[in-house]
Amino acid sequence: MLQIKNLHASIQDEKQKSKVILRGINLNIKPGEVHAIMGPNGSGKSTLANILAGRAGYDISQGEIIFDEKNIFTLAPEERAALGLFLAFQYPVEIPGVNNMYFLKAALNSLRKQRGLNELDAMDFLTLIKNKIKEVCLNESFLHRAVNEGFSGGEKKRNEVLQMLMLEPRLAILDETDSGLDIDALQTVAKGVNSLRSENRSFIIVTHYQRLLDYIVPDVVHVMVKGKIIKTGGKELALELEAKGYGWLEEQVVVS
Amino acid sequence: MSNAYLKEVVNKSYEYGFVTPIESDTFPPGLSEKVIRDISKQKNEPEFLLQWRLKAYEYWLTLKAPQWAHINYPEIDFQKISYYSAPKIKKNAPKSLDEVDPQLLETYKKLGIPLHEQGRLAGVAVDAVFDSVSVATTFKEKLHEAGVIFCSFSEAVQKYPDLIEKYLGTVVPYRDNFFAALNSAVFSDGSFVYIPKGVRCPMELSTYFRINAANTGQFERTLIIADENSVVSYLEGCTAPMRDENQLHAAVVELIALENAQIKYSTVQNWYPGDEEGRGGIFNFVTKRGACRGKNSKISWTQIETGSAITWKYPSVILQGENSVGEFYSVALTNHKQQADTGTKMIHIGKNSKSTIISKGISAGKGQNTYRGLVRVLPTADNARNFTQCDSLLLSDTCGAHTFPNLEIKNPTAKIEHEASTSKIGEDQLFYCQQRGLTLENAVSMIVNGFCKQVFNELPMEFAVEAQKLLEVSLEGSVG
Ligand SMILES: Nc1ncnc2c1ncn2[C@@H]1O[C@H](COP(=O)(O)OP(=O)(O)OP(=O)(O)O)[C@@H](O)[C@H]1O
Ligand SMILES: [Mg+2]
């Protein structure tokens, strides 16, 4: 489903100095798989997620991103979204004055339009969203507030999951959707993901905590350090990291 | 912010830029005492009005065009403008819609303002002003039953000269400013509204201004009087053909609210803004002012300003009555080379008078957007309150936003609050929207609409949607 080949990326900082962030990422995600990416702060996890979703501003000096056998390098973010790529943001963005439900409806219909489907009418949409919002345990009043405005940290994350449930992506990237969640919310998020899990839908789960992976059991766990994936393993790798931290891996890298 | 992210999108042209090929009686260009006498004669005006015009003209001759606003434009040659243009009609004034030239009806239909019975905007009475004259007013009978007077200014001069003489120029005297003096001398038509005591006007009133003829100025005059305990909501819309020359629009609007009366005045201004290079477009120099004369009276201005090459207007409220309330809600958008210098004055005279100012400026392209406000609290205005919020949103690196909020507080019990913000449209907001599937254009218009929400909420329902659409059109080609 998704292949990332030798991806190198850098960014221009305020002083116009080029800063290398990703140094040769390789990833291969098959349909139905759940991949977890862990790694220390600043290692480039969110950068990778942003680049996959098509955020501009990065210098991609080398590498390829193939989604469904298609190089998506030149596609705009909304075109990638139309292909079924979804990113749950580490820091969901507030859009003052824009009604949350209106936003979701516009997003869903824009995706449907790009996919050549007809738009959902108001009634069908309402029925759909009223069902989905229950799954993330948010009150319906959140539909009538402005997108993420004044939402608590946890509420924003639930709202991201709500959007994911509504848009039914083929590849969902969850960037620390578990950070800042209480225990109940963590289960809610996990339930949301698990309800979508299917043989032709894949997930990339970026997290710092092995706890989420108790609920969403990954097929593969990657460790990213300084812009490189330095170790890949099964779900037990997460447990090992929880126990030992990243130090031992970084030493291994230095040695090799 | 990486500017590469904001790409240029194709420009959609101004939708209302067509010209109606209609025969007109147009005065040759030029301004003189004779022209003013001719206008007055054409309209069969009473002597007091002619004298008033002439005094205004005399005074205007002593003035120079104001220079203080944050706008740049070539000097206007007032002798090159024609001061009167009216579509030729068989009789003096059409008695019913059937007598209105079908060309005109067609024009308003194209503008989305159907004047014919069956096609009328539900619940909205329209006065249609074409160049210098009012061509039709709808729902007259129904309003008449309620006691409401809604007609063209010219008609009011004939039918209700006493009301005109009593109120004209009492809020905006001809000595007020350069453009007000000019307007007082040469105004040709406009709308007149009188809501009698205790009457809640049964429908929205609306005037639609259309400039058609070339090289003519439009100088209309609107006078709205809300007598004690009455309520009225009024909406003004305007468009003009696309032309390479600039055209002058210098209107005066006077509102008078007596005890417990409420006037809500909304404007959706969409004069031709000129092209991307700044060629053509309307110079919009307008004086709008309301007087809250009575206790507990309220005047509320809402304006959506998207058109005109230059906008110069400061809808203001004089809060004379005790507990009177003044409000100003504004969205001003400047794209390409448009310039807007707009804001409000709230003059607190009465005790416990209250004012609210919400201004949203959006600048795109090379647009320049200025908020200029004055809150003046006189010594008599115990416990006066004002809340001002000015927000600016920038959509490009080449546009500008400026705010000049002025305060003159002469009473220590006054409570004044001011909030201001300037932000560039957020790259993360755009990316968030696009990631969810919205196109860049839709993302921009969604964010901008959200930014304007507080003001749109103040518009009458029928027009809120229109205003949103207008903003979308005006924004096309603005991202970059
Ligand atoms: N726009 C930018 N300008 C300058 N530096 C940046 C920019 N974006 C990212 N970086 C830097 O790139 C590195 C990787 O950032 P990224 O957000 O991808 O890390 P992360 O792995 O997601 O970290 P965390 O676990 O803390 O979320 C960091 O050092 C960060 O400061
Ligand atoms: Mg991160």
Side-chain angles (χ1 to χ4, degrees):
Chain A
M1 168 164 291
L2 178 76
Q3 285 144 288
I4 304 173
K5 294 182 193 160
N6 193 28
L7 185 66
H8 288 257
S10 56
I11 197 158
Q12 297 244 327
D13 65 13
E14 291 80 63
K15 289 172 205 138
Q16 305 296 312
K17 264 177 56 188
S18 175
K19 177 176 172 180
V20 183
I21 304 178
L22 301 183
R23 306 159 192 269
I25 300 280
N26 290 292
L27 257 186
N28 190 355
I29 299 176
K30 297 201 188 73
E33 286 184 349
V34 175
H35 287 230
I37 300 181
M38 307 182 80
N41 294 134
S43 55
K45 303 181 296 297
S46 295
T47 303
L48 176 64
N50 284 334
I51 289 174
L52 289 178
R55 185 169 197 145
Y58 300 97
D59 251 337
I60 317 275
S61 55
Q62 272 188 70
E64 279 182 333
I65 303 168
I66 313 286
F67 186 64
D68 278 345
E69 261 103 76
K70 212 168 138 187
N71 191 334
I72 57 171
F73 186 73
T74 55
L75 297 188
E78 66 269 28
E79 293 168 321
R80 299 183 193 207
L83 291 179
L85 206 140
F86 178 90
L87 170 61
F89 285 61
Q90 182 174 1
Y91 305 108
V93 180
E94 302 192 358
I95 311 177
V98 176
N99 179 283
N100 204 19
M101 180 148 75
Y102 175 76
F103 175 76
L104 249 174
K105 185 159 175 249
L108 182 61
N109 280 333
S110 177
L111 288 177
R112 290 179 68 94
K113 202 170 143 196
Q114 290 184 69
R115 291 171 188 159
L117 300 169
N118 52 356
E119 300 191 354
L120 273 195
D121 67 37
M123 282 310 292
D124 291 345
F125 179 81
L126 202 66
T127 316
L128 187 66
I129 199 163
K130 285 195 168 177
N131 276 322
K132 301 285 181 189
I133 198 167
K134 282 196 204 108
E135 289 186 39
V136 297
C137 302
L138 271 179
N139 189 292
E140 276 182 28
S141 65
F142 282 89
L143 295 177
H144 307 294
R145 287 169 61 175
V147 179
N148 292 323
E149 198 183 34
F151 288 22
S152 78
E155 288 162 354
K156 283 182 183 165
K157 296 297 173 84
R158 288 172 199 245
N159 199 37
E160 293 290 288
V161 176
L162 171 65
Q163 295 181 5
M164 179 182 76
L165 294 178
M166 288 295 293
L167 302 179
E168 300 188 317
R170 303 205 28 251
L171 172 68
I173 306 161
L174 281 73
D175 191 358
E176 297 199 27
T177 304
D178 56 335
S179 304
L181 291 188
D182 64 41
I183 299 157
D184 291 345
L186 195 70
Q187 295 203 21
T188 305
V189 169
K191 230 170 68 194
V193 170
N194 288 330
S195 76
L196 280 188
R197 264 180 102 155
S198 78
E199 58 196 30
N200 43 29
R201 185 174 282 135
S202 312
F203 293 86
I204 297 175
I205 308 233
V206 175
T207 182
H208 287 293
Y209 307 105
Q210 113 80 23
R211 202 177 44 195
L212 178 69
L213 305 179
D214 282 343
Y215 300 112
I216 308 171
V217 183
D219 300 297
V220 186
V221 175
H222 306 277
V223 181
M224 181 152 150
V225 176
K226 296 196 181 117
K228 266 192 169 153
I229 291 183
I230 56 162
K231 193 161 178 76
T232 296
K235 58 176 188 282
E236 53 311 319
L237 179 56
L239 283 167
E240 202 174 349
L241 290 170
E242 179 102 328
K244 298 203 222 165
Y246 296 112
W248 61 286
L249 281 173
E250 289 179 56
E251 278 160 30
Q252 281 186 357
V253 174
V254 174
V255 173
S256 65
Chain B
M1 163 160 323
S2 71
N3 231 345
Y5 192 73
L6 304 168
K7 63 176 181 189
E8 195 76 38
V9 255
V10 192
N11 206 12
K12 185 167 162 188
S13 61
Y14 183 72
E15 247 182 287
Y16 307 106
F18 62 91
V19 179
T20 307
I22 196 165
E23 241 192 294
S24 293
D25 280 321
T26 303
F27 282 15
L31 183 54
S32 63
E33 189 179 318
K34 179 168 183 308
V35 168
I36 290 160
R37 285 181 184 278
D38 287 350
I39 293 173
S40 189
K41 198 163 146 206
Q42 190 89 8
K43 301 189 146 304
N44 188 29
E45 285 177 352
E47 184 62 19
F48 82 86
L49 199 48
L50 173 63
Q51 289 311 320
W52 192 71
R53 286 178 181 275
L54 292 173
K55 273 190 287 185
Y57 176 61
E58 219 170 283
Y59 180 66
W60 179 76
L61 287 174
T62 68
L63 301 177
K64 282 206 175 76
Q67 300 292 333
W68 44 263
H70 196 93
I71 50 180
N72 277 311
Y73 60 95
E75 210 175 311
I76 299 170
D77 185 345
F78 291 94
Q79 296 303 336
K80 286 208 171 136
I81 298 171
S82 163
Y83 289 84
Y84 187 82
S85 177
K88 272 201 176 129
I89 35 174
K90 294 151 235 151
K91 291 172 215 153
N92 229 347
K95 295 281 174 305
S96 76
L97 279 171
D98 301 332
E99 291 175 32
V100 176
D101 190 317
Q103 287 248 45
L104 288 175
L105 294 178
E106 188 54 34
T107 299
Y108 282 91
K109 206 168 134 197
K110 257 166 106 176
L111 296 170
I113 314 289
L115 299 178
H116 248 298
E117 299 278 345
Q118 57 270 39
R120 280 176 193 176
L121 278 170
V124 182
V126 180
D127 183 26
V129 177
F130 191 86
D131 287 331
S132 300
V133 294
S134 165
V135 292
T137 309
T138 63
F139 287 110
K140 263 186 155 160
E141 301 78 33
K142 187 167 175 197
L143 289 168
H144 190 76
E145 280 165 31
V148 171
I149 302 173
F150 178 42
C151 62
S152 73
F153 202 93
S154 312
E155 189 180 333
V157 168
Q158 302 305 318
K159 287 192 178 160
Y160 317 100
D162 298 349
L163 283 174
I164 301 279
E165 193 168 10
K166 182 168 173 193
Y167 290 108
L168 179 69
T170 62
V171 187
V172 181
Y174 65 77
R175 291 178 161 270
D176 194 78
N177 68 70
F178 182 84
F179 294 107
L182 179 63
N183 173 287
S184 303
V186 304
F187 77 89
S188 42
D189 212 340
S191 299
F192 176 81
V193 176
Y194 175 78
I195 316 288
K197 281 183 192 163
V199 171
R200 177 177 276 271
C201 186
M203 59 178 77
E204 298 277 342
L205 303 184
S206 159
T207 300
Y208 196 91
F209 295 103
R210 173 73 177 170
I211 296 181
N212 188 61
N215 301 319
T216 49
Q218 194 176 45
F219 304 93
E220 85 272 358
R221 188 114 197 161
T222 300
L223 177 58
I224 299 179
I225 303 144
D227 213 326
E228 292 169 19
N229 299 304
S230 70
V231 179
V232 62
S233 169
Y234 180 93
L235 185 118
E236 169 202 301
C238 29
T239 56
M242 284 156 72
R243 295 188 196 283
D244 282 347
E245 313 84 45
N246 297 109
Q247 273 182 286
L248 180 61
H249 173 251
V252 172
V253 176
E254 296 180 277
L255 311 183
I256 294 153
L258 302 181
E259 203 167 308
N260 291 318
Q262 292 184 22
I263 303 176
K264 181 178 180 65
Y265 191 107
S266 315
T267 305
V268 177
Q269 188 264 107
N270 186 21
W271 293 118
Y272 176 54
D275 66 12
E276 293 103 284
E277 302 305 319
R279 272 184 305 253
I282 301 292
F283 288 169
N284 190 32
F285 299 111
V286 174
T287 306
K288 290 184 166 174
R289 192 173 305 151
C292 282
R293 296 238 164 108
K295 265 190 198 166
N296 307 320
S297 55
K298 177 175 173 182
I299 290 179
S300 180
W301 297 102
T302 305
Q303 59 173 25
I304 312 297
E305 303 283 323
T306 62
S308 298
I310 295 177
T311 297
W312 178 99
K313 75 183 262 205
Y314 315 90
S316 304
V317 185
I318 303 167
L319 296 146
Q320 289 166 286
E322 240 176 84
N323 306 322
S324 58
V325 177
E327 294 174 338
F328 174 73
Y329 299 96
S330 170
V331 166
L333 178 142
T334 51
N335 193 3
H336 304 311
K337 293 194 170 166
Q338 282 176 276
Q339 308 172 54
D341 192 302
T342 184
T344 185
K345 287 189 251 179
M346 293 290 174
I347 313 295
H348 291 259
I349 300 170
K351 286 195 179 84
N352 304 318
S353 52
K354 227 173 100 180
S355 61
T356 304
I357 299 171
I358 309 282
S359 161
K360 305 275 182 177
I362 303 151
S363 322
K366 293 185 176 145
Q368 293 293 326
N369 212 322
T370 300
Y371 169 80
R372 189 182 302 280
L374 170 65
V375 176
R376 178 183 289 154
V377 177
L378 297 182
T380 47
D382 290 341
N383 299 315
R385 277 160 188 266
N386 164 267
F387 173 75
T388 300
Q389 182 186 337
C390 297
D391 298 320
S392 309
L393 186 65
L394 307 177
L395 302 191
S396 75
D397 291 328
T398 45
C399 61
H402 320 273
T403 46
F404 302 103
N406 298 299
L407 293 176
E408 287 174 23
I409 312 300
K410 305 244 165 64
N411 184 313
T413 61
K415 282 210 182 78
I416 309 293
E417 283 176 80
H418 181 93
E419 287 174 11
S421 76
T422 299
S423 52
K424 195 154 175 204
I425 191 161
E427 189 193 4
D428 32 357
Q429 286 179 331
L430 290 172
F431 176 57
Y432 190 74
C433 293
Q434 285 184 284
Q435 203 309 295
R436 294 303 182 250
L438 299 172
T439 62
L440 180 62
E441 251 182 29
N442 287 341
V444 170
S445 80
M446 190 174 273
I447 293 164
V448 170
N449 271 309
F451 175 76
C452 302
K453 185 67 163 246
Q454 259 176 307
V455 175
F456 286 165
N457 283 345
E458 296 299 322
L459 282 177
M461 271 295 277
E462 295 89 331
F463 299 101
V465 179
E466 202 162 317
Q468 278 192 25
K469 276 198 218 131
L470 183 57
L471 217 58
E472 275 162 31
V473 173
S474 306
L475 271 171
E476 282 185 48
S478 66
V479 186

